[in-house]
Amino acid sequence: MAETTPFYITTAISYPNGKPHIGHAYEAIAADVIARFQRLQGRRVRFQTGTDEHGLKMARKAEEQGRTPSDLADEMSGYFRAMCDALDVSYDRFIRTSEPDHHRASQAIWQAMEASGDLYLDRYEGWYSVRDEAYYDESELTEGEGGEKLSPQGTPVEWTVEESWFFRLSNYQDQLLELLKTPGFLEPASRRNEMIAFVEQGLRDLSVSRTSFDWGVKVPGSEGHVMYVWVDALTNYLTGLGYPEDMGDFWPASLHLIGKDIVRFHTIYWPAFLMSAKLPVPQKVFGHGFLLNRGQKESKSLGNVTDPVALAETFGVDALRYFLIREVAFGQDGSYSPEAIVQRANGELGNAFGNLAQRTLGFIAKNLEGYLPAIRGHDAADTALFDTVDRAITTDIPHAFESLALQQAVEAWLQAVFACNAYIDAQAPWTLRKTDPERMETVLATLYICIAQLAVAISPVIPASSTKLLDLLGVPEDLRNFEGIRSHWYSPLAESDYQLAAPTPLFPRLELPAEDA
Ligand code: ME8
């Protein structure tokens, strides 16, 4: 039975204070791969991404540019949405925190926390990093080269004194510790100890409103206060489901996919807000690593900032998606370069998988007029290949995707592709054509079936190319999932008069652009 349980996945919502960078693309693609995998498993998926538009960082950037924050957000949010669309990111909702339903949801969670007695008015005196939109304790700061104080993320901090609402974070210490120790709540497990240590050293109440600027969600019934940007930002995950109205069965979220720099907000502050509002906490938070440009952080001063949409235009959307998932051990930092993208795309997508499909389908088109070959009995080599591919698509690949070992999922797929290539070379259908045409048909049919299964299994990563291939193969749409592709779709197709068109190359060979060569 296919699973029909709901699966709600979210990315972080990005600050639209500039255009998206490769890190944003990486997160959106990884989330999309997971969402598409879960749909293939037959689950009901809801996938949300968007932009985080309030706060001091947005207000200051707009001021620098002599425009309103709302004008800046309108322009830049459009680039984020366009990036998702360009990269085939299959979100159900692209949320903007400036939207009216989000203001309503944020005020509702505020009132729920207030009703629990967790909010009180006081004065904040301490350090704030505008770049991180985060408060830091003196003890967390480090010293920069010029003796200036820096946040643990290396960003500047400023001394801030203002009247503020506080949230009784300290009330949730024990519950949070228990949650952080729950296996599977925070992954990878390596990020857990840091969060546990942070809670164990004692939680101070959190300043949750600002009075020195007004670009944010208004605190209900408290003139002059806007919510601290993270309170409303985190609430986006509820807004998208209709909070404070009935959220259906998508809450609690199955997975918040975020970067490693914002794990504290998602595994300490957010669960505490939810506990206070008497809502269930998310099932899992995964903190992925950072993507570096040839090992270096991208920055305007180094002049190495890459536009992910331009990268996709140069190399192809699927080549970029494949590269990012294949190259980086999910959870760890990774590095990219044009050479590495070209090498993976040409070697693995082009030579290994593309050629396999091209050779098999081209051979059928040319020698059988495109009519699908019949299976005329199996020998040991055929059975061994079916076993290998079957294990990959029923066990290795889905288990790896399910446990968010995205890189291993692609490796398992590639191993099965290699097995097909070894099979075609050993069976040599081009020789069988003259010596044993019946055996040739079985060999081609075997490959045909395996290629279709492998096209389905890799479709979360390279959706457009997989669709193109599955269309060509004539695989019915309703069978393009892990369950369906194992069924007996081939015989009816082979017995029909389905005629294969001559294949066009799926993965055109990439060259390094002149400036990178
Ligand atoms: O943090 N590699 O927004 P953001 C990989 N608005 N991921 C990266 C990255 C890199 N080089 N740089 C950033 C925010 N990210 C908040 C989130 S959620 C309620 C609010 C990731 O635009 C980063 O870790 O700074 C985060 O998950 C996402 O990109 C958006 O970052």
Side-chain angles (χ1 to χ4, degrees):
M1 266 298 282
E3 268 194 273
T4 53
T5 42
F7 187 86
Y8 180 34
I9 177 171
T10 67
T11 65
I13 49 172
S14 309
Y15 293 123
N17 62 331
K19 292 187 184 177
H21 56 61
I22 188 80
H24 294 122
Y26 176 60
E27 185 171 302
I29 289 171
D32 186 60
V33 169
I34 298 164
R36 286 178 186 271
F37 163 73
Q38 293 293 348
R39 288 191 202 109
L40 281 190
Q41 292 283 72
R43 292 180 79 171
R44 254 182 319 118
V45 172
R46 185 161 174 94
F47 173 16
Q48 178 160 303
T49 187
T51 44
D52 179 3
E53 307 188 357
H54 298 126
L56 202 46
K57 174 155 147 160
M58 284 295 288
R60 291 235 178 120
K61 177 60 87 183
E63 196 181 329
E64 252 173 66
Q65 298 182 357
R67 63 207 293 204
T68 63
S70 134
D71 184 50
L72 174 67
D74 284 349
E75 182 196 348
M76 293 302 164
S77 180
Y79 286 107
F80 280 87
R81 184 194 274 265
M83 175 194 78
C84 289
D85 293 338
L87 298 176
D88 275 344
V89 173
S90 60
Y91 58 82
D92 296 293
R93 168 137 183 214
F94 185 96
I95 191 169
R96 297 186 54 188
T97 55
S98 52
E99 290 167 310
D101 66 338
H102 178 68
H103 281 240
R104 267 197 310 279
S106 304
Q107 290 176 332
I109 197 172
W110 181 281
Q111 283 163 331
M113 297 193 288
E114 197 168 31
S116 292
D118 284 331
L119 299 178
Y120 61 93
L121 204 53
D122 201 343
R123 214 166 97 98
Y124 179 74
E125 243 177 89
W127 297 103
Y128 193 78
S129 159
V130 178
R131 266 210 252 162
D132 305 345
E133 295 282 22
Y135 302 95
Y136 291 108
D137 194 62
E138 177 87 38
S139 63
E140 293 181 87
L141 304 181
T142 58
E143 209 162 276
E145 275 166 18
E148 74 282 15
K149 291 193 184 289
L150 296 176
S151 81
Q153 312 280 352
T155 61
V157 290
E158 47 195 67
W159 186 253
T160 305
V161 180
E162 61 188 57
E163 188 194 58
S164 166
W165 284 95
F166 279 79
F167 172 73
R168 291 190 204 280
L169 187 60
S170 52
N171 274 356
Y172 294 92
Q173 173 123 359
D174 297 341
Q175 285 178 71
L176 287 170
L177 262 186
E178 197 183 319
L179 178 65
L180 286 165
K181 290 179 178 169
T182 307
F185 171 69
L186 169 54
E187 288 188 352
S190 55
R191 312 225 184 279
R192 211 179 288 157
N193 290 342
E194 196 193 328
M195 291 306 121
I196 290 176
F198 182 77
V199 177
E200 275 176 343
Q201 109 211 325
L203 290 172
R204 292 149 59 103
D205 289 349
L206 182 69
S207 163
V208 286
S209 77
R210 305 290 313 251
T211 41
S212 52
F213 62 94
D214 64 0
W215 177 238
V217 178
K218 290 195 167 41
V219 170
S222 188
E223 195 66 30
H225 285 257
V226 292
M227 290 180 200
Y228 168 41
V229 62
W230 274 100
V231 174
D232 95 73
L234 289 160
T235 304
N236 92 84
Y237 303 132
L238 302 180
T239 306
L241 300 180
Y243 182 79
E245 262 59 75
D246 179 20
M247 292 195 280
D249 58 0
F250 279 116
W251 194 261
S254 314
L255 175 62
H256 289 320
L257 180 64
I258 55 159
K260 63 180 182 179
D261 58 327
I262 55 172
V263 170
R264 184 192 292 183
F265 300 93
H266 283 81
T267 61
I268 297 175
Y269 301 163
W270 180 227
F273 296 162
L274 288 164
M275 289 168 185
S276 172
K278 312 228 170 349
L279 289 166
V281 299
Q283 285 166 359
K284 187 187 291 295
V285 175
F286 189 96
H288 63 72
F290 267 38
L291 206 65
L292 305 170
N293 185 338
R294 296 180 204 277
Q296 272 182 319
K297 202 173 159 177
E298 291 195 342
S299 75
K300 294 208 176 86
S301 53
L302 286 173
N304 64 350
V305 180
T306 313
D307 170 8
V309 176
L311 212 55
E313 278 164 7
T314 306
F315 299 113
V317 173
D318 282 351
L320 178 63
R321 291 174 60 110
Y322 179 82
F323 172 80
L324 291 173
I325 301 302
R326 164 74 176 107
E327 180 78 7
V328 184
F330 199 51
Q332 292 172 28
D333 290 349
S335 203
Y336 78 97
S337 65
E339 303 83 78
I341 298 173
V342 167
Q343 200 185 356
R344 289 268 186 225
N346 284 347
E348 297 174 6
L349 288 180
N351 294 346
F353 189 54
N355 277 354
L356 170 71
Q358 192 72 19
R359 284 203 283 177
T360 306
L361 304 187
F363 203 81
I364 295 171
K366 196 155 161 238
N367 296 292
L368 298 173
E369 293 172 30
Y371 289 109
L372 303 192
I375 300 175
R376 302 173 189 281
H378 288 303
D379 77 6
D382 311 335
T383 309
L385 185 67
F386 277 133
D387 285 349
T388 299
V389 173
D390 206 54
R391 195 175 54 245
I393 72 154
T394 60
T395 310
D396 299 350
I397 298 172
H399 286 189
F401 274 131
E402 187 67 52
S403 60
L404 304 182
L406 307 185
Q407 185 189 44
Q408 274 103 298
V410 179
E411 275 167 6
W413 172 80
L414 198 57
Q415 289 310 318
V417 171
F418 289 154
C420 293
N421 277 312
Y423 173 88
I424 197 174
D425 288 341
Q427 299 299 320
W430 40 88
T431 309
L432 293 172
R433 182 165 65 94
K434 293 175 213 124
T435 56
D436 188 349
E438 281 203 359
R439 175 68 195 147
M440 175 196 79
E441 290 208 19
T442 299
V443 167
L444 291 174
T446 302
L447 285 164
Y448 193 94
I449 293 166
C450 291
I451 290 167
Q453 293 180 322
L454 292 171
V456 168
I458 200 65
S459 65
V461 183
I462 51 169
S465 310
S466 294
T467 300
K468 194 173 157 195
L469 179 55
L470 289 163
D471 286 349
L472 189 69
L473 290 165
V475 177
E477 297 234 5
D478 59 328
L479 298 183
R480 295 179 187 186
N481 53 62
F482 281 103
E483 194 61 39
I485 200 65
R486 299 190 64 206
S487 72
H488 300 289
W489 55 274
Y490 182 72
S491 300
L493 188 68
E495 281 157 23
S496 73
D497 52 5
Y498 182 74
Q499 206 177 2
L500 187 76
T504 50
L506 280 176
F507 306 102
R509 213 182 152 67
L510 298 179
E511 303 286 346
L512 262 190
E515 70 268 22
D516 297 310

